[in-house]
């Protein structure tokens, strides 16, 4: 459905993200209840989810952050479908490691505080070594930046009415 | 990358750290213009955190604006048909 990124050319990346995002937005509009009738907060939330979903779909499972986002999305879907049943996905396996004291380890560079904060900001990197963490972060930032550009362009387009 | 997997503790060589730090530095708008690449690792990490938070906030704001605009868009407007032609 969506083209796989063949290069890291920023323009082609932007086009892929735009395509995916528009596709997701279109699904939002047509599939569920009409956007115009749902609560504003809910609408905004759905657009936000569509944005992160676009990033994750374009990258697929090649990155830890995109895998984490895709997992979250799929869990949400399952939750939505099992609304009447007790949620099976309430306990998150990650919580066991959340208070891991090792995370406050102060490395030789004294980076502990920032590193911990970074791990909370970037999805999917909680258990990664520092090397992978920085690598994932750089990739995540690249896609986030482009997604923001796509959204800005869309807002401009829709505003010129 | 040959760093050992040790649950968040860093056992990188200085070279690896420097390489990753400079890579991140390229991406950060504030630090990119500095001539020197001597920004400390912790400074780069801090800027990175701030930048990611900033981007998240931008996504939130833009989602908000987009959702308002989307609800008001007329299906027959030129913009809507452009969008439709892009997707199909």
């Amino acid at each position: 459905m969506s083209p796989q990124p063949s290069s890291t050319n920023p323009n082609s990346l932007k086009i892929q993200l735009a395509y995916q995002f528009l596709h997701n937005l279109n699904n939002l509009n047509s599939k569920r209840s009409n956007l115009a009738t749902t609560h504003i907060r809910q609408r905004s939330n759905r657009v936000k989810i569509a944005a992160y979903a676009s990033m994750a779909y374009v990258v697929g499972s090649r990155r830890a952050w995109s895998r984490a986002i895709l997992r979250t999305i799929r869990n949400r879907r399952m939750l939505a479908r099992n609304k009447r049943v007790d949620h099976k996905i309430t306990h998150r396996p990650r919580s066991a490691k959340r208070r891991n004291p090792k995370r406050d380890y102060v490395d030789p560079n004294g980076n502990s505080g920032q590193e911990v904060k970074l791990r909370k900001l970037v999805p999917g990197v909680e258990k990664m070594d520092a090397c992978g963490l920085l690598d994932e972060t750089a990739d995540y930032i690249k896609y986030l930046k482009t997604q923001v550009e796509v959204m800005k362009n869309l807002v401009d387009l829709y505003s010129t009415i | 990358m040959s760093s050992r997997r040790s649950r968040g503790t860093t056992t990188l060589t200085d070279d690896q750290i420097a390489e990753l730090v400079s890579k991140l530095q390229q991406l950060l708008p504030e630090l990119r213009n500095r001539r020197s690449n001597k920004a400390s690792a912790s400074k780069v990490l801090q800027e990175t955190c701030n930048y990611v938070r900033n981007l998240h906030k931008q996504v939130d704001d833009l989602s908000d604006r987009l959702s308002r605009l989307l609800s008001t868009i007329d299906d027959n407007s030129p913009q809507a048909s452009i969008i439709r032609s892009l997707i199909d």
Side-chain angles (χ1 to χ4, degrees):
Chain A
M1 193 182 302
S2 73
Q4 286 301 310
S6 51
S7 68
T8 47
N9 173 5
N11 270 335
S12 93
L13 177 61
K14 194 167 170 185
I15 291 172
Q16 281 153 25
L17 272 179
Y19 178 91
Q20 187 65 55
F21 186 49
L22 287 173
H23 188 83
N24 290 350
L25 280 184
N26 205 37
N27 283 346
L28 268 186
N29 249 335
S30 51
K31 212 188 280 181
R32 302 167 196 258
S33 59
N34 186 357
L35 262 192
T37 58
T38 54
H39 196 264
I40 178 72
R41 188 85 183 91
Q42 225 180 345
R43 261 184 276 155
S44 165
N45 224 19
R46 286 188 185 162
V47 173
K48 187 165 76 166
I49 293 174
Y52 285 106
S54 318
M55 289 166 51
Y57 281 133
V58 167
V59 172
S61 51
R62 287 178 299 128
R63 283 283 177 178
W65 67 261
S66 61
R67 289 195 293 270
I69 292 180
L70 290 174
R71 262 198 305 272
T72 311
I73 292 174
R74 277 163 199 161
N75 288 346
R76 268 179 199 265
R77 283 214 192 115
M78 288 168 66
L79 275 179
R81 281 181 196 150
N82 300 339
K83 252 181 197 166
R84 280 171 300 155
V85 184
D86 274 352
H87 303 154
K88 295 174 200 165
I89 316 171
T90 44
H91 66 95
R92 297 139 119 237
R94 298 181 313 178
S95 60
K97 301 266 181 185
R98 210 167 248 257
R99 307 277 176 225
N100 186 349
K102 284 261 165 95
R103 204 185 273 167
D104 299 332
Y105 177 81
V106 180
D107 69 25
N109 293 328
N111 286 342
S112 69
Q114 293 304 326
E115 195 178 310
V116 167
K117 286 181 193 166
L118 196 53
R119 284 176 194 276
K120 289 182 185 163
L121 286 171
V122 179
V125 295
E126 279 190 36
K127 295 182 193 171
M128 247 186 196
D129 59 320
C131 186
L133 167 67
L134 294 182
D135 199 37
E136 287 286 316
T137 307
D139 196 67
Y140 184 58
I141 287 180
K142 183 173 84 176
Y143 280 87
L144 251 190
K145 257 172 56 174
T146 317
Q147 178 66 36
V148 164
E149 277 175 43
V150 165
M151 290 171 84
K152 277 184 185 162
N153 289 162
L154 269 182
V155 166
D156 287 343
L157 174 67
Y158 278 123
S159 305
T160 60
I161 292 181
Chain B
M1 305 269 185
S2 55
S3 62
R4 282 179 286 159
R5 297 193 151 268
S6 42
R7 258 188 284 162
T9 65
T10 56
T11 49
L12 300 174
T13 66
D14 284 345
D15 283 345
Q16 284 173 321
I17 293 180
E19 179 197 325
L20 289 167
V21 161
S22 66
K23 187 169 160 191
L24 271 183
Q25 207 173 331
Q26 293 303 312
L27 291 170
L28 302 178
E30 278 112 49
L31 299 186
R32 190 169 30 201
N33 298 330
R34 307 250 173 97
R35 284 177 304 120
S36 75
N37 50 2
K38 281 184 288 187
S40 73
S42 81
K43 179 85 168 118
V44 170
L45 278 186
Q46 190 185 342
E47 287 304 318
T48 309
C49 285
N50 292 341
Y51 191 45
V52 171
R53 270 190 220 117
N54 184 301
L55 287 174
H56 282 170
K57 183 154 194 314
Q58 283 189 48
V59 170
D60 281 353
D61 289 345
L62 288 168
S63 299
D64 207 48
R65 287 168 70 185
L66 255 187
S67 65
R68 288 171 204 270
L69 286 170
L70 276 179
S71 61
T72 62
I73 194 171
D74 172 23
D75 258 353
N76 296 326
S77 73
Q79 283 85 359
S81 48
I82 292 176
I83 303 295
R84 265 197 297 272
S85 68
L86 279 176
I87 299 177
D88 294 337

